[in-house]
Amino acid sequence: MKKLFLFVLTAMMICSCSKSETEDNPNPNPESSVTGMWLTPDALTFESTGGSETVWLNLNYSGTSTNAQWKLTGGESWCTASKTSGGDNEQITFEVTENNDPDERNATFTFTCGSVSTKLVVTQKQKDALTVTSSKIEMDSNGGIAIVEVKANIDYEYEIGKDCKDWVTLKETRALQTTMLSFDVAQNTDFEKREGTITVFSDGLSETITIYQAGEEPTIVLTQNKYDVSGDGETIKVEINSNVDFQVTIPSDVDWIKETWTRAISTHTKYFKIATNSPNQSRSAEILFTNTEYSLSEKIIINQKAASYVTVHVVQKGGLSDVLVDKELNPESIISMKIIGELDAEDFLTIQNMINLKNLDLEEVNLTELPTKAFYKMKTIENLILPHTLTIINDSEFYQNSLKSIIISSNVETIGEYAFYECPLKSINIPASVKAINKAAFMNCSSLATITFSKGSMLTKICGGKGFLSHGEKYYYGAFANCTALTSIEIPANVEIIEEAAFKNCTALTTVTFENNSSLKTICGATYDYSYYGGAFSDCISLISIEIPASVETIEAAAFKGCSKLATVTFEKGSQLKTIGGGYSNSSDYYGAFSDCSSLTSIEIPASVETIEATAFKRCSKLTTVTFEKGSQLKIIGGGFDTNVGYRYIYGAFSELKNLMTVDMSACTQVEIIEECAFYNDPELRLFKVSTETPPTCENNAFVGINPYSVLKVPSGCANAYKAATGWKNFASITGLDE
């Protein structure tokens, strides 16, 4: 009895120690981790009658032990597992119900432990079906023996597919009902992978085993890695030896190379068309051939020379056609041409009929002005050098032309209306001599990404306009309107006015800067019928910040309307700004200079500002703080309202700002009037300061809808006057600024 007691006591102590160790250190070897798992067997096949089969799961791990747990997911309702989680060296039994369907069925289970997983495929055949352990055999290029295990309760035969009889052969003959078939798979010496089939069949039932054999080591081999191309352009042929799929990548900024035709055979062939180059300089680009699965990459380099020119000297105007004949030149075969001498309108007709002319150099032609619409809608010339004597580019000169690059002479003073309208220009250098860029000059140049003004620019005006054409063109005609690839612009110092819609809808424009010592006086805007508006920078939806030069006196209606990412507006020290514009129509449309700038959070109004017009900051939904610079000259804050079919439209300068909390006008001593609805429906407005001793006139609803606990701070001793004045009673508290 004593021995029994000692045995029980010892067992309890051992169990207690074991439990304590487990609780105190649930992972005694924290550095051990699972590195793999395997199943035995790794697939299950059931007859149609169903039944149960068992697999063993084992884990590989680093370290000496592990308490890792696996989880089981997947499967189908007709196949259930005895457990869905466990540890190392586990036995799992799978139960399968009877299959009465005419087709076999499959269920896939996934065992997962940490980052390691493996799959078990359970296959159940239909009644009287042949069963093979696997319908897929993968082999490397060296070949070898392929074993097919067949389970059958009926006689069967086999057949090797016609497409693989030359490299798959039966290794030994076995009688019917034999469970193992052996096949020799020959070495694959080709680059390409190959596949073949073996079919086991009997009485209308069949099983197909597919053998997939890899080719030699995955590779991409280019027969040539460098191509030198003439400036006139050509089509190059690139041959690629590859036993894997590959992707062809041409850099996104290279538009002069296009893949034109592909033929997929064992040796791949690609064709690339190289466009005509400009005369200015050579260029180079790379084309990549990659396969990410095998981390393969090869490239070709294409070097293209500058275009070579046919030079012709025209001594007498109208003689270009004769010169070409005399020199035995076929006009239709000329791609690049340089002309020296004299030209007239007749000569430009000859140029227009040169259907393959891509590059034209007129630098040494004696012309101060091109013939009217000499290049109007011309679709051949892509690169052009203008005469060095040219002084003006006339209206619509290159309207809807195919120009991609142009060199403008340093004597040109004016770029006319619609001069480059809808040209595919990518960049433009404006010479210092240019004084005016007229309306729509570069409008709709959607590829124009870079505009450079030469040092010492004499430009004084970037023009815009409005109007309506019967065939449906837009109301606004800014010089650079709708240049949707333009990302930045620096305005030259001599520019005095940026007219309406000048940069409207430049949707990629993020940065606008002004050259030092700017002379800019006016940033224009305009309102049209039918909800159209034409602010100089309106709808520049990518513009983030801007500093307004001190010289600016007026920012007109809609100047920055709809700049939804404009978060910061600052004014250069010493600002001379007098008016921040705005306006509205009688059909719910409004045109505040900064209206709908929905990222703007705060603004400090320069001391020089006297008038903030109606809707100036309407719908600036994130605006929380408005302050005024010391010495403010502010006199008027604009507003208004309109009713239409019983609905009221509000047009206050700061109306409907749902986040506006503070308006600090403590620097404003001269305010005369706050117009109708100026701060209407600003539900968070809770602190308003003003230093004008005589209460400014408040028109109807100036402060209706502000925070019910709002505080008004006024000059010391003026609180009673404000309490008695019309329009200020919406504030819950009115006290002195020093209180």
Side-chain angles (χ1 to χ4, degrees), residues 332-345:
E332 294 185 1
S333 66
I334 298 176
I335 296 174
S336 303
M337 181 171 66
K338 178 180 177 66
I339 303 177
I340 300 171
E342 305 286 340
L343 296 179
D344 63 9

Side-chain angles (χ1 to χ4, degrees), residues 238-494:
V238 179
E239 292 185 346
I240 312 102
N241 291 335
S242 175
N243 58 357
V244 295
D245 294 332
F246 57 85
Q247 181 179 4
V248 179
T249 303
I250 302 173
S252 59
D253 59 344
V254 176
D255 65 349
W256 48 278
I257 301 176
K258 302 290 184 185
E259 185 177 356
T260 60
W261 183 58
T262 301
R263 183 177 59 186
I265 52 178
S266 59
T267 298
H268 301 279
T269 305
K270 300 286 184 180
Y271 294 86
F272 298 93
K273 184 177 181 180
I274 315 301
T276 304
N277 196 5
S278 68
N280 304 319
Q281 58 185 7
S282 60
R283 57 189 178 185
S284 180
E286 295 179 352
I287 301 177
L288 295 179
F289 301 80
T290 57
N291 176 283
T292 56
E293 181 180 0
Y294 298 105
S295 301
L296 301 176
S297 180
E298 289 291 330
K299 67 181 178 181
I300 62 170
I301 299 174
I302 299 176
N303 298 317
Q304 187 178 29
K305 298 177 181 179
S308 57
Y309 280 81
V310 172
T311 301
V312 295
H313 188 183
V314 182
V315 178
Q316 185 175 353
K317 293 180 179 181
L320 175 59
S321 179
D322 292 336
V323 171
L324 295 176
V325 172
D326 291 343
K327 294 175 70 71
E328 297 183 351
L329 295 172
N330 179 6
E332 294 185 1
S333 66
I334 298 176
I335 296 174
S336 303
M337 181 171 66
K338 178 180 177 66
I339 303 177
I340 300 171
E342 305 286 340
L343 296 179
D344 63 9
E346 182 180 347
D347 295 315
F348 278 91
L349 288 176
T350 300
I351 292 172
Q352 291 171 7
N353 290 324
M354 299 175 70
I355 59 176
N356 288 305
L357 185 63
K358 301 293 183 185
N359 306 306
L360 180 60
D361 183 350
L362 301 177
E363 184 176 14
E364 296 182 47
V365 171
N366 184 26
L367 280 175
T368 58
E369 185 174 346
L370 295 173
T372 302
K373 297 183 178 180
F375 295 94
Y376 181 81
K377 291 189 176 182
M378 191 173 179
K379 297 300 183 182
T380 53
I381 295 176
E382 296 179 355
N383 305 290
L384 176 65
I385 302 176
L386 292 176
H388 74 280
T389 52
L390 203 69
T391 59
I392 185 172
I393 297 176
N394 288 319
D395 296 351
S396 303
E397 193 70 67
F398 300 96
Y399 185 98
Q400 293 182 342
N401 196 283
S402 58
L403 275 179
K404 293 182 178 179
S405 71
I406 188 169
I407 297 177
I408 302 173
S409 81
S410 59
N411 291 309
V412 171
E413 297 183 359
T414 302
I415 298 176
E417 298 179 3
Y418 300 91
F420 296 94
Y421 183 87
E422 287 189 359
C423 284
L425 290 166
K426 292 185 175 182
S427 63
I428 189 72
N429 183 77
I430 309 296
S433 56
V434 174
K435 297 178 180 178
I437 301 174
N438 283 295
K439 73 177 184 179
F442 294 91
M443 183 173 174
N444 288 4
C445 291
S446 58
S447 298
L448 185 60
T450 304
I451 301 170
T452 305
F453 296 95
S454 295
K455 186 176 181 179
S457 174
M458 299 170 64
L459 186 68
T460 60
K461 182 166 62 173
I462 301 175
C463 296
K466 62 182 179 180
F468 181 76
L469 298 180
S470 59
H471 55 280
E473 289 191 44
K474 295 185 180 299
Y475 267 33
Y476 56 88
Y477 302 106
F480 296 98
N482 302 335
C483 290
T484 52
L486 184 65
T487 58
S488 64
I489 187 75
E490 183 181 53
I491 308 298
N494 284 317

Side-chain angles (χ1 to χ4, degrees), residues 515-529:
E515 195 176 13
N516 290 337
N517 300 314
S518 174
S519 302
L520 187 65
K521 295 289 189 294
T522 306
I523 301 175
C524 292
T527 61
Y528 319 141
D529 294 334

